[in-house]
Amino acid sequence: MGIISWIVLGLIVGVIAKLVMPGKDPGGIFVTILIGIAGAFVGGFISSLLGFGSFSGFNFKGLLVSVGGAVLLLAAYRMLKNRKTS
């Protein structure tokens, strides 16, 4: 997938990650969407490292990998933000 496809997928994934991990996020929905974009990249990178190959378009496997990356980043972001405020 091209970079534009990953960004569009990341926007969708950011919203899905917010639904999977409800709660008050520091930074609001816009930060969550940005984390979704980054999660799409991270998920694709990890998938390539693990030997699952690259993705050629929007498909269910790419969506799952991207949501996994976004949830991972969102959890890390929440832990870092909560640690700084306590």
Side-chain angles (χ1 to χ4, degrees):
M1 280 186 356
I3 191 146
I4 300 299
S5 299
W6 278 112
I7 291 172
V8 171
L9 181 64
L11 291 171
I12 296 166
V13 166
V15 173
I16 293 172
K18 180 69 174 161
L19 293 173
V20 170
M21 293 185 66
K24 186 169 172 73
D25 289 324
I29 189 71
F30 294 110
V31 171
T32 304
I33 290 172
L34 290 174
I35 289 173
I37 294 170
F41 284 106
V42 168
F45 180 72
I46 291 172
S47 174
S48 295
L49 285 177
L50 294 176
F52 293 119
S54 61
F55 302 103
S56 59
F58 289 109
N59 56 31
F60 189 68
K61 186 170 110 176
L63 182 68
L64 285 178
V65 166
S66 298
V67 169
V71 167
L72 180 72
L73 287 180
L74 185 58
Y77 178 72
R78 285 182 181 179
M79 286 191 315
L80 287 173
K81 280 303 213 179
N82 288 336
R83 187 162 49 130
K84 286 182 180 179
T85 59
S86 2

